[in-house]
Amino acid sequence: MVVYFAALDPMTLVRALPGNVAQGIIWGIMALGVYITFRILDFADLTVDGSLATGGAVAVMLIRGGMNPALALVFAFLAGMAAGFITGMLHTALGIPGILASILTQIALWSINLRIMGGKSNVPLLKAQTIFSEVVKATGLTQSQVSLIVGLIIAALMIVFLYWLFGTEIGAALRATGNNEAMIRALGVDTRKTKMIALMLSNGLVAVSGALVCQSQKFGDINMGTGAIVIGLASIVIGEVLLGRLRSFGSRLISAVVGSVVYFLIVLQLGMDANDMKLLSAVIVALALCVPVAINKWKIRSAYKEGGSDNA
């Protein structure tokens, strides 16, 4: 794993900080979507790798066609919801296991995204106005400053919306489906509908993140979603480690975005080779998932030994 220590120059770090934080916040919206399926619904949804690129592809093509970039985010959200709907139908209506259903959708989305982008694997936005360039023109701020402000505003709106939604009756049903599906079904709730709603909402948020990433980097790429699920999981795990003592639902949503920011600071501020980013993500997720289990087993074994010595 290659690390360029020249990137650790203090002034270089300070100058790059706003842009890296902004990128972490934008990807943090994707982490919010992954949090819904991974933590709330307890559903292994790999559609994310495809729906992120779908949101980006839809936004890029609509902006190139003259649509307002802010309105393009709405259509990206709807496209992501459509991707989640397909996964939900494969799982709930056809009985295909969740992880396989999401893999099938992810594979299909690659071809669909290529069709959306007119058969091109990379579509530029160099001359088109984006939500970021419009704010830069209106305020005179730098691109990194605008990306940070706009990302914060959109992420905050998403967190507030999710906090409100999961406090409603339907939101409580979604959370109960992940906690104890048999129990909530016995109470008369159709868990097929709750799963469908959660998958659509999750992939809608992921698609919005993809649309913002494309507008920020001024191009859309067919492979931009590759490994996105691992980045999302890494962000969630890092956020839980950092803010694990905060138990409220709102703080858990915030922790997903915070984890994404920390992840990108770790990867980008260290100047790591881009080819090693996915490997780092996999290592972080593996360690974060294995270490708590190992600690738990150690505590159980220690308690058992202590109890045995006391009885003796």
Side-chain angles (χ1 to χ4, degrees):
M1 191 177 294
V2 181
V3 180
Y4 299 101
F5 291 100
L8 295 177
D9 175 66
M11 292 307 298
T12 303
L13 293 177
V14 171
R15 285 194 294 268
L17 191 61
N20 293 345
V21 172
Q23 188 171 351
I25 292 173
I26 292 172
W27 281 84
I29 298 172
M30 181 272 295
L32 287 173
V34 175
Y35 184 86
I36 292 174
T37 50
F38 180 63
R39 282 293 187 234
I40 297 178
L41 193 62
D42 194 23
F43 187 101
D45 183 23
L46 302 184
T47 313
V48 172
D49 284 16
S51 58
L52 185 87
T54 300
V58 169
V60 165
M61 299 309 292
L62 290 177
I63 292 172
R64 284 171 62 91
M67 179 175 286
N68 182 286
L71 185 59
L73 294 179
V74 177
F75 282 92
F77 179 77
L78 294 176
M81 291 185 70
F85 177 81
I86 295 172
T87 298
M89 286 297 294
L90 291 174
H91 176 57
T92 60
L94 301 181
I96 299 175
I99 190 168
L100 179 57
S102 63
I103 290 174
L104 292 174
T105 305
Q106 177 199 125
I107 293 172
L109 283 176
W110 195 90
S111 297
I112 294 172
N113 295 339
L114 201 57
R115 290 277 186 178
I116 293 173
M117 297 171 69
K120 300 177 180 178
S121 60
N122 189 292
V123 178
L125 279 176
L126 297 178
K127 296 182 180 179
Q129 288 293 319
T130 67
I131 192 171
F132 301 104
S133 61
E134 288 186 347
V135 177
V136 168
K137 186 184 296 184
T139 62
L141 298 173
T142 65
Q143 174 73 24
S144 59
Q145 290 172 335
V146 168
S147 297
L148 179 59
I149 294 170
V150 172
L152 273 173
I153 292 172
I154 296 177
L157 290 174
M158 295 297 183
I159 290 172
V160 170
F161 168 71
L162 291 176
Y163 184 80
W164 167 81
L165 176 65
F166 282 97
T168 63
E169 184 176 345
I170 189 169
L174 292 176
R175 295 167 72 175
T177 300
N179 287 332
N180 193 327
E181 184 177 346
M183 181 272 292
I184 195 67
R185 192 188 297 118
L187 294 176
V189 175
D190 189 347
T191 56
R192 293 175 300 178
K193 290 182 179 179
T194 55
K195 288 182 179 181
M196 188 77 73
I197 292 171
L199 287 166
M200 292 174 67
L201 178 61
S202 169
N203 285 282
L205 292 175
V206 171
V208 169
S209 177
L212 287 170
V213 170
C214 285
Q215 293 191 47
S216 176
Q217 64 190 14
K218 300 286 279 187
F219 70 90
D221 190 275
I222 191 68
N223 296 314
M224 64 179 291
T226 304
I229 183 64
V230 180
I231 295 175
L233 292 175
S235 301
I236 292 170
V237 170
I238 292 172
E240 289 176 343
V241 170
L242 295 176
L243 303 177
R245 294 185 179 181
L246 301 178
R247 298 296 182 182
S248 68
F249 182 68
S251 65
R252 292 180 180 179
L253 294 175
I254 294 172
S255 72
V257 178
V258 171
S260 177
V261 172
V262 173
Y263 168 81
F264 277 92
L265 286 176
I266 292 173
V267 173
L268 299 179
Q269 293 292 78
L270 287 179
M272 293 193 64
D273 190 324
N275 295 326
D276 294 329
M277 288 177 64
K278 300 296 187 295
L279 175 60
L280 176 65
S281 302
V283 171
I284 291 173
V285 173
L287 287 175
L289 293 177
C290 293
V291 169
V293 174
I295 292 175
N296 209 22
K297 288 183 177 179
W298 177 78
K299 288 181 178 178
I300 293 174
R301 188 174 297 129
S302 298
Y304 177 77
K305 288 181 179 178
E306 290 176 5
S309 61
D310 290 343
N311 291 333

